[in-house]
């Protein structure tokens, strides 16, 4: 599985402010899953990688929230472990 340490997430809070939004375990896990699809290891420094995979995660959340079956079953919006709506603020 790709590596992206919590300390890097906190240290480079640009990830929170611009790309991924407020930290949650659910969002962090989903971000790692997106990296794993391509076998990418992220060191927290490459902003192009951060943006690319933040955008992929954003699209994944949007697809989930717009899925008619998820809507019909009351599963939207997608929420994190604290019951907060998952929002990925990256623009692109």
């Amino acid at each position: 599985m790709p590596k992206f340490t919590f300390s890097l997430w906190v240290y480079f809070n640009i990830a929170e402010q611009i790309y991924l939004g407020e930290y949650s375990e659910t969002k962090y896990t989903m971000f790692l899953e997106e990296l794993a699809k391509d076998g990418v290891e992220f060191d927290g420094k490459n902003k192009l990688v951060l943006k690319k995979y933040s955008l992929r995660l954003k699209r994944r959340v949007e697809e989930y929230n717009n899925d008619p079956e998820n809507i019909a079953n009351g599963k939207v919006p997608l929420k994190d472990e604290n019951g907060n709506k998952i929002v990925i603020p990256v623009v692109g």
Side-chain angles (χ1 to χ4, degrees):
M1 179 153 213
K3 297 187 186 200
F4 181 70
T5 63
F6 178 74
S7 61
L8 285 174
W9 184 295
V10 172
Y11 180 75
F12 294 102
N13 77 6
I14 190 168
E16 268 193 44
Q17 293 175 359
I18 297 173
Y19 297 99
L20 293 169
E22 185 177 343
Y23 177 85
S24 77
E25 277 295 316
T26 305
K27 192 183 296 185
Y28 173 73
T29 300
M30 292 175 72
F31 182 73
L32 291 178
E33 290 168 355
E34 292 304 316
L35 291 170
K37 289 176 184 177
D38 292 337
V40 173
E41 290 200 17
F42 180 54
D43 64 4
K45 297 177 185 175
N46 187 329
K47 289 182 186 171
L48 292 177
V49 169
L50 178 59
K51 183 169 185 173
K52 175 181 179 176
Y53 290 93
S54 296
L55 284 168
R56 278 185 37 176
L57 180 55
K58 181 176 187 161
R59 284 191 292 277
R60 179 177 164 190
V61 171
E62 288 172 349
E63 287 173 9
Y64 181 93
N65 287 336
N66 292 319
D67 182 280
E69 187 174 328
N70 290 337
I71 293 168
N73 292 323
K75 294 181 177 179
V76 296
L78 184 60
K79 295 183 180 181
D80 67 15
E81 70 278 6
N82 298 311
N84 298 318
K85 179 180 175 182
I86 294 179
V87 176
I88 314 295
V90 66
V91 176

